[in-house]
Amino acid sequence: MSNVNPGLEPGTTAGPAAAPAGAPAVPLAGEGASPVDRAGRPSNPADVQWAGERRSRLARRVGQGIRWLLLVGFALLFMYPFAWLLAASLKPRGEVFDNRLIPLTPTPENYAEVWNQLPLLSWVFNSVFIALASATIVTLTSSAIAFGFAYFRFPGQKILFGILLGTMMLPGAVTLIPNYLIWKTLGWLGTTVPLWGGTLFGSAFYIFLMRQFYLSLPRDLFEAARIDGCSFFGLFRRIAFPLALPSAIIVFIFEFQASWNNFAGPLIYLNFGDPKGYTVPLGVAYAMTMYSPTAGGHGDYQFVMVASLLVTLPMMVIFAVGQRYFIEGIAAGSLKG
């Protein structure tokens, strides 16, 4: 019998059908590029998915680059005043307001001379004392009042809490004169007591913030402690306040910053007598007036710039230390309304 297969030329073997003459060669699987459709796009699903992922990665990188550019731009924009203040503090008297970020005549001696020109140390001590007293007292009192609103149930509770929140709508100018008359009657004008004494009764905003956190705590926790003989004050001191520490730190930082930057209060209650009793904001304003040529000064504003820069550093340190508590405390306080 013949071993030659019918339909095959001698010396050939069986294989795929030969392509017609002139037809484009199509690579087989594993021989090279994947097949493409008539539009020139890959027809293999794996290649289509790979191309989509590549475009997606490119889009993410472009979006990330734009976000970084925006962040860097806004960071430089907000850092410019601080950079200008730093440059102005290193300039001599005649170059303070030339708007150069690199001083033509660096004068680091300003940082040593400012202590002789201004009672800066006394201003810083007064501001630190007032800020610490206000922040500590308002944190404790607001936390205690907030725990009372969150834990206890009594008639008229919602009405009383609504009145408390309503006080937040009053502008500070409305209560300015009544408060002044109260402190004048008590004989504490010219002292630091009016600047921190009002915090003994808490703050409406801080009470609301702390109450929101206390409402998120399970009531069964306090009921179990009551069964074990814990007093009401013990519930606050041993359970509630330690758990609310992140929110308490937020209240402390907010009040410390508000007291540190407070200008209207010292202007009303301390703006007489020895300038050494001033706080930092009032002292800087006093220095601006003292060095003004219209008030007989010589325009030595470089010392004002040095003082402004030095008194900014404590707030920067406090924010750097407590910044992680901002989002944590506010988020924890908004769990339950």
Side-chain angles (χ1 to χ4, degrees):
M1 297 178 62
S2 175
N3 294 328
V4 180
N5 293 330
L8 294 177
E9 296 293 332
T12 61
T13 58
V26 178
L28 300 178
E31 291 186 359
S34 60
V36 296
D37 57 13
R38 294 182 179 180
R41 295 171 297 187
S43 59
N44 190 339
D47 294 334
V48 173
Q49 181 180 1
W50 178 82
E53 292 177 353
R54 183 179 180 183
R55 288 192 297 269
S56 178
R57 287 195 299 267
L58 180 61
R60 285 197 299 268
R61 290 177 181 176
V62 172
Q64 186 177 9
I66 294 175
R67 285 194 296 270
W68 274 106
L69 287 176
L70 291 175
L71 288 175
V72 171
F74 280 109
L76 293 176
L77 180 64
F78 283 101
M79 286 297 294
Y80 175 77
F82 184 79
W84 185 93
L85 181 64
L86 177 61
S89 67
L90 293 171
K91 296 175 182 178
R93 179 174 57 189
E95 301 177 5
V96 173
F97 298 105
D98 59 5
N99 289 328
R100 290 188 178 93
L101 296 182
I102 300 178
L104 293 177
T105 310
T107 312
E109 296 82 8
N110 294 338
Y111 284 84
E113 184 63 21
V114 69
W115 305 101
N116 299 324
Q117 295 287 331
L118 301 172
L120 187 58
L121 194 61
S122 298
W123 296 347
V124 172
F125 175 80
N126 295 334
S127 291
V128 169
F129 171 76
I130 294 172
L132 283 177
S134 299
T136 303
I137 294 174
V138 80
T139 300
L140 296 177
T141 55
S142 298
S143 299
I145 298 172
F147 177 73
F149 275 112
Y151 178 76
F152 295 103
R153 302 290 184 265
F154 53 89
Q157 178 188 18
K158 294 184 178 180
I159 297 177
L160 185 60
F161 188 70
I163 296 175
L164 176 68
L165 295 182
T167 61
M168 296 172 57
M169 310 302 172
L170 293 176
V174 174
T175 59
L176 191 62
I177 296 178
N179 286 335
Y180 179 84
L181 295 177
I182 290 173
W183 296 118
K184 181 181 179 180
T185 303
L186 295 175
W188 282 333
L189 294 182
T191 67
T192 61
V193 176
L195 301 177
W196 55 264
T199 59
L200 289 169
F201 307 100
S203 170
F205 173 72
Y206 300 146
I207 292 172
F208 171 75
L209 179 65
M210 298 295 293
R211 173 184 174 271
Q212 299 305 105
F213 181 85
Y214 289 137
L215 289 176
S216 67
L217 300 178
R219 192 174 181 85
D220 295 340
L221 180 65
F222 300 104
E223 297 300 334
R226 286 289 298 163
I227 293 175
D228 291 337
C230 186
S231 63
F232 291 120
F233 182 74
L235 295 180
F236 169 73
R237 183 175 63 88
R238 297 181 180 180
I239 300 176
F241 188 76
L243 292 176
L245 192 59
S247 296
I249 293 176
I250 292 297
V251 171
F252 183 90
I253 294 176
F254 281 175
E255 183 61 26
F256 190 96
Q257 182 183 15
S259 298
W260 183 269
N261 297 328
N262 185 17
F263 175 74
L267 181 64
I268 295 172
Y269 299 109
L270 299 178
N271 193 20
F272 46 86
D274 191 355
K276 291 184 178 180
Y278 293 169
T279 59
V280 165
L282 184 60
V284 172
Y286 166 78
M288 288 289 294
T289 304
M290 182 178 66
Y291 291 125
S292 174
T294 58
H298 300 286
D300 294 315
Y301 292 113
Q302 69 275 14
F303 300 122
V304 179
M305 304 305 168
V306 174
S308 301
L309 181 64
L310 292 178
V311 299
T312 304
L313 297 179
M315 287 309 308
M316 296 178 63
V317 173
I318 291 177
F319 179 79
V321 173
Q323 62 177 336
R324 71 185 185 93
Y325 292 100
F326 275 90
I327 298 178
E328 178 182 353
I330 294 177
S334 62
L335 291 177
K336 185 174 182 179

